[in-house]
Amino acid sequence: MQIDILTLFPDMFTGPLTESMLKRGQESGALSLKIHDMRAHAEGKHRQCDDQPYGGGAGMLMMAEPIVKCIEAVSGERVAGSKPHCIYLSPRGQRLTQKKVEELAQKPWLLLLAGHYEGIDQRVIDGWIDEEISIGDYVLTGGELPAMVLVDAVARHVPGVLGKQESAEEESFSPALGGKKEYPHYTRPEDFRGMKVPEVLLSGNHKKIDEWRKSQLR
Ligand code: 4HQ
């Protein structure tokens, strides 16, 4: 899967996308993540990307031109003869759920637009965006963190990103136990500062263990 991320703050992405699971996914070739600085597509000496809103009001908006030029430049690099599925991260969007994550993981190519300031010119959304997605009902300073959350959640469903062990583990608890629900986990030692591991987990009785875990789901 290819994911292109458009931002004015490319440095925010180093770290989250270059460590751990996402690092491995990229090294194995299962995942290709590309960060694009929209400022490179802005005009003039100052490469201005923001301007005041028509109708007045507080704050600045991202101008359409640098965003659309960047979308066009990225979409021109064909991936398996397709166009990217274009997502704008915004509190006005549809809430990101596990169902939506699994749906997006089926796409060969995503383009994520991370806006800053008060948002972007509506004409970009109307003309170039396939869907708006929100990671939750709170207001952030930009779409960069939401884009990283989406990439992290989607990437673990792309074949080859998780190791064999992790994907098998997920299978063993996700559908059977009804989606995102989890039970409490314990590892060694059996006694940690007087706090004991529940007896049933040490019993070796897998039927009893399954029943206990089901009783603890939330
Ligand atoms: N923002 N879920 C404002 C969010 C957000 C969210 C992103 C802040 C877009 C312009 N995005 N910018 N919540 O709060 O996705």
Side-chain angles (χ1 to χ4, degrees):
M1 168 182 247
Q2 175 160 335
I3 307 180
D4 289 276
I5 304 174
L6 280 53
T7 177
L8 290 178
F9 299 91
D11 293 345
M12 285 182 71
F13 291 88
T14 53
L17 303 185
T18 54
E19 291 293 332
S20 179
M21 172 195 101
L22 295 175
K23 181 179 181 179
R24 246 200 292 137
Q26 290 174 89
E27 284 168 354
S28 80
L31 188 65
S32 169
L33 293 177
K34 295 183 185 168
I35 311 299
H36 305 273
D37 187 351
M38 286 183 280
R39 196 170 298 282
H41 297 270
E43 302 283 336
K45 197 176 93 192
H46 300 288
R47 301 211 170 274
Q48 187 186 345
C49 287
D50 61 334
D51 209 335
Q52 290 158 307
Y54 281 114
M60 301 290 271
L61 293 177
M62 283 173 67
M63 301 159 74
E65 186 76 35
I67 302 175
V68 168
K69 280 201 171 132
C70 192
I71 293 175
E72 286 171 342
V74 167
S75 303
E77 316 165 8
R78 296 246 159 346
V79 173
S82 65
K83 285 265 161 205
H85 182 72
C86 297
I87 296 170
Y88 174 55
L89 286 310
S90 143
R92 279 166 56 90
Q94 257 196 76
R95 182 69 55 81
L96 186 65
T97 59
Q98 189 59 26
K99 181 164 168 269
K100 174 59 75 178
V101 164
E102 285 169 30
E103 179 191 315
L104 294 175
Q106 302 308 308
K107 310 253 184 216
W109 190 6
L110 298 179
L111 182 155
L112 308 182
L113 173 55
H116 231 87
Y117 317 117
E118 294 307 302
I120 69 177
D121 191 305
Q122 181 63 31
R123 290 168 293 189
V124 175
I125 298 170
D126 296 343
W128 285 268
I129 293 299
D130 297 307
E131 65 178 329
E132 281 182 84
I133 292 182
S134 165
I135 64 160
D137 270 333
Y138 36 79
V139 181
L140 300 165
T141 57
E144 283 79 10
L145 287 166
M148 288 184 242
V149 166
L150 192 153
V151 168
D152 190 279
V154 167
R156 50 194 299 292
H157 290 276
V158 173
V161 171
L162 292 192
K164 273 202 184 75
Q165 169 102 26
E166 297 148 303
S167 7
E169 263 165 36
E170 184 179 33
E171 241 175 345
S172 75
F173 90 45
S174 159
L177 302 180
K180 66 174 180 200
K181 292 179 174 173
E182 287 211 40
Y183 48 78
H185 307 289
Y186 298 86
T187 187
R188 287 193 293 182
E190 262 182 59
D191 183 325
F192 177 68
R193 301 190 182 183
M195 302 162 86
K196 305 277 190 340
V197 174
E199 201 65 51
V200 60
L201 298 179
L202 310 174
S203 69
N205 182 335
H206 291 289
K207 190 166 172 287
K208 279 257 154 60
I209 291 171
D210 280 355
E211 281 168 9
W212 180 83
R213 285 178 171 166
K214 284 208 178 95
S215 79
Q216 298 291 313
L217 283 176
R218 38 187 171 93

